[in-house]
Amino acid sequence: LAQALGRWGNYANQELYGHPSSLPWAVKIDPTHRYTPYQADSTFQPMFLYESLWDALSRFILVYFIRRFWRRVPTGTIFALYVVLYDVMRLPLETMKVDPADLVVGQRINVWVAATALVAGVVWFVTAFRRRGPEPEPAAATAHGPSHVPTARPEAAIAARRASQQHRRRNG
């Protein structure tokens, strides 16, 4: 979620945008922040917005996964899922950006890094997830409902509170 919010700093700095666009949600970039080949264009694809929305959605996917599999997956599984989710969106976004980047075999190096991280994340996640623990046993139903265990009354605390109330009534 912090990453989703942090992307809005890219908007404020006018530094993370894609190809020129006339879409209704295209962002206006000041001439001083435009890259040389795009000086004549004024509105661009808002890469920061796409990534921010994906990061926020990824947060909900991660929370669901944590709630569903908590304590049954090996250490690192949730982080591996984060790497996969992040790079699933990062890979296509990197192909849409216009900022200068080194090319390797005709493709931006950022694309190669995202693709490598995606493959590594998928392998890591699948390997770790296969080692997860067993499904938890369903709780036995009781007269009080499933998995309800009545708590003992805190008799000492109740007695102390009554004594305190009586003391206040007498003195106050």
Side-chain angles (χ1 to χ4, degrees):
L1 190 56
Q3 190 172 356
L5 295 173
R7 285 296 164 204
W8 286 86
N10 296 123
Y11 171 69
N13 294 334
Q14 296 187 357
E15 62 187 2
L16 186 57
Y17 56 90
H19 293 285
S21 175
S22 60
L23 293 169
W25 57 86
V27 292
K28 184 170 176 59
I29 303 296
D30 295 333
T32 56
H33 295 284
R34 293 182 204 153
Y35 299 110
T36 304
Y38 302 101
Q39 287 299 319
D41 301 297
S42 62
T43 58
F44 298 83
Q45 289 277 351
M47 297 290 106
F48 75 92
L49 175 63
Y50 302 152
E51 190 168 337
S52 179
L53 292 172
W54 180 255
D55 289 341
L57 176 64
S58 295
R59 182 248 184 226
F60 291 106
I61 294 169
L62 288 167
V63 168
Y64 170 79
F65 183 83
I66 289 167
R67 288 184 177 168
R68 173 83 171 83
F69 294 104
W70 186 250
R71 298 187 191 263
R72 295 191 0 238
V73 292
T75 302
T77 307
I78 296 164
F79 182 71
L81 179 58
Y82 163 77
V83 170
V84 170
L85 291 172
Y86 181 72
D87 286 309
V88 159
M89 184 59 161
R90 187 71 182 212
L91 189 59
L93 285 182
E94 286 299 338
T95 65
M96 297 169 61
K97 290 181 185 173
V98 295
D99 60 321
D102 294 330
L103 297 179
V104 176
V105 192
Q107 192 60 261
R108 295 165 46 97
I109 193 164
N110 310 26
V111 173
W112 291 111
V113 170
T116 303
L118 177 60
V119 170
V122 167
V123 169
W124 180 9
F125 176 76
V126 169
T127 303
F129 192 72
R130 284 185 177 168
R131 293 191 317 247
R132 73 184 180 277
E135 292 286 329
E137 294 291 324
T142 65
H144 301 287
S147 73
H148 176 76
V149 177
T151 305
R153 288 177 50 104
E155 298 297 338
I158 292 170
R161 182 167 186 221
R162 285 184 184 149
S164 174
Q165 290 172 341
Q166 288 173 355
H167 179 72
R168 270 190 247 146
R169 281 188 211 128
R170 278 186 248 142
N171 296 332

